[in-house]
Amino acid sequence: MNDIILLKLGELVLKGLNRHNFEDKLMSNARRRLHTYGQFKVTTKQSITYVEPQSDDCDMDGAFEAMKKVFGAVGVCRCRACEKDKDAMLCAVKEFLAPQLAAARTFKVECKRSDKTFPLNSIQLAQYLGGELDEAYPHLTAEMHHPDLTVYVEVRDDAAFVHGNTEPGAGGLPVGMGGRAVSLLSGGIDSPVASWMMAKRGLCLEMVHFFSYPYTSEEAKQKVLDLAKLLTPWTGRLVVHVVPFTAIQEELRRSCPEEYFTILMRRFMMRISAEVARRTGSGALITGESLGQVASQTMEAMLCTGAVVDIPVFRPVIGMDKEEIVRISRKIGTFETSILPYEDCCTVFTPKHPKLKPTLKECEAAEAKLDVEGLVKAAADGIERVQIGVEQG
Ligand code: ATP
Ligand code: MG
């Protein structure tokens, strides 16, 4: 018989209809993430999702790693299936949990019997297994409150399952549960982290990248596509909308005061992203802005950039220090790619003295001569859609 994987669902406060949406989304996301690892059956019962391989050639290690990146599960563990016989269970515990039993000093056994025809009830079974383990491992002491190791045994209709402590899951809400949003992805450290944080809150992402060829290189674009790829174990498949941005930047350089260049460029990024949101049925924008990190990330600048769109702008790293953002970026695996030294479209045209506290009136005056709508439409119509499949572990 095969091992199976259990996912413990998070956000237990969710009730009623929401609970169903949560479970259904989590199961469909898990199924989609699993099919490169073999055939699995995915079901949910009482806040636990069961991932069961349907053949012997399933890649259980790969599936387990993939399940640790599915948002919505707070804990993930592997269990061993065995016969519904108390000695077979004891044997499975000793074999399957050997390293944990050797490392622990204190333990307890918790049993659950969903097959009510099994002759021992949960308490009797736990007492039997606990007593046997206590005897077999002299270094172990039973401890009911905070044991190093909890041995779980569940007697179900088709088999019994044994597992130890769970590993942390990705937490958050299943991707897609909160709708769709457009994330502005540069090649930096912050925007991949911001994207990951909002996917964690249940958003399905559309990525937008502004590309200023030939001022920025093909390598710089490839770096952004690589970053998107690194996010896919969490987000699922992605589309990166690569926006040709050079014409707008050249137009701004030609017709607008230099000190407003950065803020005006950002206003165009927001407008075009909002257009992508409209075309993809997305309800919000996401950026990696952090208050005060650079001149363009002040309250005043955010007022000016937010003013050109009529959907919410989420900035999940707004209150975070660089070190905190870096810590997440290392954890999710984007850091090493983010620090590769390719230029970003913003750095190419950086003014010598950017306006620190631009006002909305000044921005509007500086843009007065531009055909804003025409520029936005031309850029949006020139978008190249790049499909990114899920990265295999
Ligand atoms: P990051 O590390 O995410 O690049 P940053 O600290 O370098 O951020 P800025 O370059 O000021 O900050 O960009 C602020 C935000 O604007 C980015 O986090 C990103 O969401 C968006 N952005 C900047 N440049 C681009 C781009 N070329 N394409 C898409 N979005 C961009
Ligand atoms: Mg940047």
Side-chain angles (χ1 to χ4, degrees):
M1 240 180 287
N2 277 306
D3 291 359
I4 71 168
I5 298 168
L6 299 186
L7 310 182
K8 303 208 164 166
L9 308 194
E11 304 269 338
L12 286 170
V13 287
L14 290 171
K15 293 208 179 75
L17 240 187
N18 238 3
R19 158 113 254 146
H20 263 288
N21 286 344
F22 186 109
E23 292 176 353
D24 290 349
K25 263 286 182 274
L26 185 118
M27 284 194 287
S28 63
N29 292 346
R31 282 191 196 105
R32 225 171 296 132
R33 234 52 70 65
L34 283 164
H35 62 57
T36 51
Y37 301 102
Q39 279 232 319
F40 291 85
K41 190 169 115 201
V42 180
T43 50
T44 299
K45 223 177 78 223
Q46 293 172 344
S47 295
I48 296 190
T49 294
Y50 296 83
V51 175
E52 304 176 54
Q54 300 297 290
S55 63
D56 286 336
D57 58 359
C58 288
D59 171 3
M60 291 297 286
D61 293 338
F64 185 66
E65 286 311 307
M67 291 303 96
K68 285 204 273 187
K69 293 173 179 167
V70 173
F71 289 127
V74 286
V76 184
C77 73
R78 261 176 98 152
C79 352
R80 169 65 45 89
C82 67
E83 258 178 72
K84 292 197 289 182
D85 165 88
K86 63 185 189 346
D87 293 308
M89 295 177 203
L90 179 62
C91 203
V93 169
K94 287 180 174 172
E95 194 186 287
F96 185 58
L97 300 179
Q100 290 96 315
L101 287 164
R105 289 288 163 269
T106 55
F107 83 108
K108 76 169 170 181
V109 180
E110 256 187 41
C111 297
K112 202 158 107 191
R113 180 184 64 150
S114 35
D115 170 12
K116 300 296 178 203
T117 67
F118 187 73
L120 299 180
N121 69 26
S122 309
I123 296 171
Q124 291 166 329
L125 181 60
Q127 278 171 346
Y128 170 73
L129 295 170
E132 292 293 319
L133 292 172
D134 204 29
E135 213 163 282
Y137 299 90
H139 72 281
L140 281 182
T141 316
E143 146 77 59
M144 292 305 118
H145 298 296
H146 302 287
D148 298 338
L149 173 66
T150 303
V151 173
Y152 295 89
V153 176
E154 191 186 339
V155 186
R156 291 173 70 197
D157 290 339
D158 41 348
F161 292 98
V162 165
H163 70 88
N165 295 338
T166 36
E167 287 190 38
L173 298 170
V175 164
M177 218 188 136
R180 191 174 284 275
V182 167
S183 188
L184 284 74
L185 186 65
S186 68
I189 295 169
D190 306 332
S191 48
V193 170
S195 307
W196 180 85
M197 287 174 79
M198 296 318 297
K200 186 176 182 194
R201 290 314 297 165
L203 294 181
C204 181
L205 305 182
E206 295 282 338
M207 313 309 275
V208 168
H209 178 66
F210 296 91
F211 183 44
S212 315
Y213 192 78
Y215 299 101
T216 58
S217 59
E218 280 296 332
E219 285 91 339
K221 171 173 147 191
Q222 188 55 48
K223 172 183 167 181
V224 171
L225 300 180
D226 291 346
L227 284 170
K229 183 89 179 166
L230 292 170
L231 290 171
T232 56
W234 284 276
T235 60
R237 264 184 291 151
L238 287 173
V239 173
V240 182
H241 302 257
V242 180
V243 182
F245 205 44
T246 316
I248 289 179
Q249 291 177 305
E250 287 175 343
E251 178 64 22
L252 288 175
R253 189 163 55 182
R254 226 175 356 253
S255 17
C256 302
E258 190 195 294
E259 55 182 340
Y260 290 97
F261 187 83
T262 306
I263 189 79
L264 298 185
M265 190 174 73
R266 295 219 171 279
R267 278 161 65 87
F268 273 96
M269 286 187 179
M270 299 306 259
R271 292 182 180 108
I272 296 164
S273 302
E275 176 59 20
V276 174
R278 203 182 58 73
R279 293 181 185 189
T280 56
S282 303
L285 305 182
I286 300 163
T287 78
E289 289 164 300
S290 162
L291 193 67
Q293 195 187 81
V294 291
S296 59
Q297 298 179 16
T298 60
M299 281 193 288
E300 291 77 8
M302 286 178 216
L303 173 70
C304 297
T305 52
V308 295
V309 298
D310 55 7
I311 50 177
V313 180
F314 296 144
R315 300 175 173 95
V317 304
I318 193 75
M320 290 168 74
D321 296 345
K322 197 73 185 183
E323 293 88 278
E324 296 173 287
I325 302 172
V326 165
R327 203 177 311 135
I328 297 180
S329 126
R330 285 188 193 279
K331 183 175 95 176
I332 65 176
T334 51
F335 182 74
E336 297 301 328
T337 304
S338 287
I339 58 172
L340 292 175
Y342 296 115
E343 64 298 327
D344 183 54
C345 71
C346 307
T347 45
V348 177
F349 292 86
T350 307
K352 276 188 223 71
H353 305 288
K355 190 86 183 161
L356 285 184
K357 296 194 170 171
T359 67
L360 201 47
K361 264 212 175 99
E362 290 164 355
C363 290
E364 285 164 357
E367 280 171 355
K369 280 186 275 162
L370 301 176
D371 170 18
V372 170
E373 239 174 74
L375 288 167
V376 169
K377 184 167 187 313
D381 288 347
I383 283 175
E384 177 200 359
R385 290 166 46 98
V386 184
Q387 310 263 0
I388 312 283
V390 173
E391 166 92 337
Q392 298 307 317

Short mmCIF file of all heavy atoms in Angstrom, two decimals, residues 30 49 78 101 190 215 231:
data_model
loop_
_atom_site.label_atom_id
_atom_site.label_comp_id
_atom_site.label_asym_id
_atom_site.label_seq_id
_atom_site.Cartn_x
_atom_site.Cartn_y
_atom_site.Cartn_z
N ALA A 30 -4.50 22.14 -5.90
CA ALA A 30 -3.63 21.00 -5.57
C ALA A 30 -3.61 20.03 -6.76
O ALA A 30 -2.54 19.59 -7.19
CB ALA A 30 -4.11 20.30 -4.31
N THR A 49 -7.35 17.80 3.73
CA THR A 49 -7.38 17.37 2.34
C THR A 49 -6.45 16.17 2.19
O THR A 49 -5.29 16.21 2.64
CB THR A 49 -6.98 18.53 1.41
OG1 THR A 49 -7.99 19.54 1.50
CG2 THR A 49 -6.87 18.09 -0.04
N ARG A 78 3.21 13.66 5.44
CA ARG A 78 3.13 12.38 4.73
C ARG A 78 2.69 11.33 5.70
O ARG A 78 3.15 11.32 6.84
CB ARG A 78 4.52 12.02 4.23
CG ARG A 78 4.71 12.38 2.78
CD ARG A 78 6.10 12.09 2.38
NE ARG A 78 6.16 10.80 1.69
CZ ARG A 78 7.08 10.53 0.77
NH1 ARG A 78 7.98 11.43 0.46
NH2 ARG A 78 7.10 9.37 0.18
N LEU A 101 11.15 9.04 16.23
CA LEU A 101 11.11 8.34 17.52
C LEU A 101 12.49 8.35 18.17
O LEU A 101 12.62 8.45 19.39
CB LEU A 101 10.63 6.89 17.34
CG LEU A 101 9.13 6.74 17.04
CD1 LEU A 101 8.84 5.34 16.51
CD2 LEU A 101 8.28 7.01 18.28
N ASP A 190 11.73 43.71 -4.73
CA ASP A 190 10.47 43.97 -4.04
C ASP A 190 9.23 43.44 -4.75
O ASP A 190 8.33 42.90 -4.11
CB ASP A 190 10.31 45.48 -3.83
CG ASP A 190 11.52 46.08 -3.12
OD1 ASP A 190 12.17 45.35 -2.35
OD2 ASP A 190 11.81 47.27 -3.35
N TYR A 215 16.83 50.29 -24.79
CA TYR A 215 17.52 50.86 -23.61
C TYR A 215 17.76 49.79 -22.55
O TYR A 215 18.73 49.83 -21.81
CB TYR A 215 16.71 52.01 -23.02
CG TYR A 215 16.53 53.14 -23.99
CD1 TYR A 215 15.34 53.30 -24.68
CD2 TYR A 215 17.58 54.02 -24.25
CE1 TYR A 215 15.17 54.32 -25.60
CE2 TYR A 215 17.42 55.05 -25.17
CZ TYR A 215 16.22 55.19 -25.85
OH TYR A 215 16.06 56.20 -26.76
N LEU A 231 7.97 32.13 -9.33
CA LEU A 231 6.77 32.33 -8.51
C LEU A 231 5.71 31.26 -8.77
O LEU A 231 4.81 31.06 -7.95
CB LEU A 231 6.16 33.71 -8.79
CG LEU A 231 6.96 34.92 -8.29
CD1 LEU A 231 6.35 36.22 -8.83
CD2 LEU A 231 7.00 34.95 -6.76
#
